[in-house]
Amino acid sequence: MFVLAGLWSGAMGAWAGDQVQGARIWPAPDHTRLVLDVTGPVEHKVFALKGPSRLVIDLQDTTLKARLDALDLAGSPIRRIRSAPRNGNDLRVVLDLKTDVKPRSFELEPNQQYGHRLVVDLIDENGSRLENAGQPTVTQDAGGKRDIVVVIDPGHGGEDPGAIGPRGTREKDVALKMAKTLASLINAQPGYTAKLTRTGDYYIGLRNRTLLARKYNADLFVSVHADAFRTPQPKGASVFALSQRGATSETARWLAQTENRSDLIGGAGGVSLEGRDDMLAGVLLDLSMTASINASLGVGSSVLGQLGSVARLHKPHVEQAAFVVLKSPDIPSILVEAGFISNPQEEKNLATEWYRQRLAKAIMSGIDDYFRKTPPPGTLLAWQKQQGQDTPAFSHYRIRQGDTLSDLARENQISVNELMRFNGLSDDRVMVGQTIRIPAS
């Protein structure tokens, strides 16, 4: 009996081809991603049917070894998933849908966490987050002085885990938690509003991240990541701005794509490429890109200086690279590598809330230091600077041996609770070397 079963199993393997061994669903604001784990590259076809709405996925020479009916469909446009063999050796998967979607499919090569995958995106063209982002209403007083808008981009997400540390810590999780902490700190600061490109565990295309920043009329774009290397030795935080090589290639891309001609350069207004000839459009883009890179280097240097007071730095200066998320011609953009997740000690640190909060506070301080010196026109900070109120709303203090939060509160005539709230602290414990902010009297 055992031998016969083995022979039967071997015979099945000879003709069964690929197998679907697992599946995941990642709902996002503008699409839902269905991922099928397959044993190798698979020939497939995807098409939509109406009356009722369905999406059909045909996989050639494939068998199903996963329970698709056990998937959690909450937050997705899928009502039910059905499957059945087809034409003897093939597999048909049918998604019964609540509404029509635009499908897109592609295959992914193995990474640190998963093997071969077939990805099917169900795009909601009516509910796109990009279309519905709009312009945020951000005012601080009756005169309509607007907030400085900082768009924070947690790297990776969903099927893309990013780098994975020796203990299994995933970059996408660290980035999201740290980005949410940073957003809370920014929103608590008068004169600022923070927006996140993603608020959950799903993936957003790299270009769409910068498009979201433009939709939000961002004054600054901050992408949060955790670095990795093939050996465990490298460590330290880094800050990146766009390189000149990246700027040159992006200028060429913008000039080559017709749809970019009508995009406004400068967020809420300034320069438009629409109707410009190639030479003038190129000059305008070069000027805008140069100004954007210079501003990125300025805010990046300010952030790096603050990070250096709470963490080890990988390099003592702002680095430059051609990262896609930094290629906005009209929005100063920086990418912060919070540390090397491939380094065992830094992985351990990045997995803790206190360390992520420490880094987030340093980033916020760097951003605020930069904008208090060079506030965008029309903002509350610019108005305060014009009125002679440009002295910082707080001072920095580095904790020394024997310091307690209650002593500092008493010395500065403020309550402990107010000091905790101003620094985003969950308790009154402080560490030697920690930098805190003390409100100006």
Side-chain angles (χ1 to χ4, degrees):
M1 187 74 174
F2 176 79
V3 175
L4 286 174
L7 289 173
W8 182 82
S9 174
M12 283 288 289
W15 65 265
D18 287 308
Q19 294 179 347
V20 175
Q21 297 182 322
R24 290 172 297 287
I25 287 183
W26 306 99
D30 59 348
H31 74 282
T32 293
R33 173 162 290 185
L34 171 66
V35 182
L36 301 178
D37 291 317
V38 289
T39 50
V42 60
E43 292 290 331
H44 73 281
K45 182 169 65 173
V46 177
F47 57 94
L49 297 173
K50 294 188 177 183
S53 297
R54 288 155 291 160
L55 193 69
V56 179
I57 309 166
D58 283 338
L59 297 92
Q60 185 177 316
D61 198 22
T62 302
T63 55
L64 180 63
K65 296 295 182 182
R67 283 198 57 192
L68 300 182
D69 59 349
L71 288 172
D72 182 3
L73 305 180
S76 80
I78 307 171
R79 285 194 298 106
R80 182 177 58 158
I81 302 181
R82 298 177 284 129
S83 61
R86 179 174 177 271
N87 297 337
N89 298 345
D90 300 340
L91 172 66
R92 169 163 287 185
V93 177
V94 179
L95 312 182
D96 293 324
L97 303 171
K98 303 170 188 174
T99 182
D100 290 341
V101 298
K102 179 182 178 182
R104 176 183 61 188
S105 66
F106 54 92
E107 294 183 65
L108 288 176
E109 294 290 324
N111 62 16
Q112 281 182 282
Q113 189 168 5
Y114 303 113
H116 288 275
R117 289 150 290 161
L118 172 62
V119 177
V120 181
D121 282 341
L122 286 61
I123 301 167
D124 177 9
E125 294 186 290
N126 297 320
S128 170
R129 189 177 181 190
L130 287 172
E131 295 303 319
N132 296 331
Q135 297 182 3
T137 304
V138 281
T139 56
Q140 286 292 340
D141 66 340
K145 278 76 176 179
R146 72 174 182 85
D147 285 355
I148 290 171
V149 180
V150 182
V151 172
I152 307 163
D153 172 48
H156 308 280
E159 193 62 18
D160 175 15
I164 300 176
R167 299 168 59 188
T169 307
R170 300 180 300 187
E171 181 182 1
K172 67 172 182 176
D173 299 328
V174 168
L176 182 59
K177 289 173 182 176
M178 190 166 150
K180 286 183 174 180
T181 300
L182 178 57
S184 297
L185 291 171
I186 290 173
N187 283 324
Q189 184 75 14
Y192 289 90
T193 287
K195 297 288 182 180
L196 289 163
T197 58
R198 69 177 177 96
T199 56
D201 189 10
Y202 49 84
Y203 183 76
I204 297 176
L206 299 180
R207 294 286 179 187
N208 282 349
R209 296 169 192 252
T210 55
L211 285 176
L212 271 171
R214 186 166 292 108
K215 287 284 184 180
Y216 285 130
N217 276 346
D219 295 288
L220 176 66
F221 178 86
V222 181
S223 194
V224 179
H225 290 255
D227 217 336
F229 196 66
R230 61 180 178 271
T231 62
Q233 286 78 23
K235 55 186 174 180
S238 306
V239 177
F240 286 84
L242 184 63
S243 65
Q244 192 55 52
R245 180 174 59 84
T248 302
S249 65
E250 187 66 7
T251 299
R253 192 186 79 89
W254 271 65
L255 290 172
Q257 294 189 2
T258 307
E259 65 267 25
N260 286 325
R261 290 304 186 101
S262 59
D263 267 14
L264 289 179
I265 305 299
V271 182
S272 171
L273 298 185
E274 193 170 15
R276 312 290 188 184
D277 63 41
D278 283 354
M279 182 175 291
L280 180 55
V283 171
L284 291 173
L285 268 178
D286 281 341
L287 289 171
S288 183
M289 190 71 87
T290 299
S292 178
I293 290 177
N294 287 339
S296 302
L297 290 169
V299 69
S301 179
S302 183
V303 167
L304 194 71
Q306 292 297 329
L307 280 172
S309 69
V310 300
R312 179 191 178 100
L313 297 180
H314 184 57
K315 294 282 179 68
H317 58 268
V318 178
E319 300 176 72
Q320 292 181 263
F323 291 121
V324 172
V325 291
L326 298 179
K327 290 186 176 183
S328 285
D330 52 341
I331 304 171
S333 304
I334 61 172
L335 186 146
V336 177
E337 296 279 11
F340 278 81
I341 205 167
S342 51
N343 178 281
Q345 184 57 52
E346 291 204 334
E347 178 193 20
K348 184 178 178 181
N349 290 343
L350 291 169
T352 62
E353 183 181 355
W354 72 268
Y355 189 76
R356 293 193 303 267
Q357 192 172 69
R358 186 175 174 177
L359 295 178
K361 287 175 188 170
I363 295 169
M364 173 60 208
S365 294
I367 291 170
D368 191 56
D369 287 349
Y370 173 80
F371 279 122
R372 290 202 176 270
K373 294 172 187 171
T374 55
T379 60
L380 180 66
L381 267 65
W383 179 81
Q384 289 174 339
K385 190 175 179 68
Q386 290 168 357
Q387 300 299 311
Q389 302 176 25
D390 56 331
T391 51
F394 58 87
S395 60
H396 290 103
Y397 180 81
R398 192 160 189 167
I399 301 297
R400 294 175 294 193
Q401 192 74 36
D403 282 338
T404 66
L405 210 60
S406 58
D407 289 340
L408 292 173
R410 186 167 53 253
E411 290 170 12
N412 291 277
Q413 299 180 349
I414 186 175
S415 73
V416 172
N417 285 338
E418 285 176 302
L419 200 53
M420 286 170 55
R421 188 165 58 250
F422 194 75
N423 285 276
L425 299 174
S426 56
D427 56 47
D428 62 357
R429 289 179 297 178
V430 289
M431 299 172 55
V432 173
Q434 179 181 351
T435 301
I436 66 169
R437 298 183 302 164
I438 298 176
S441 58

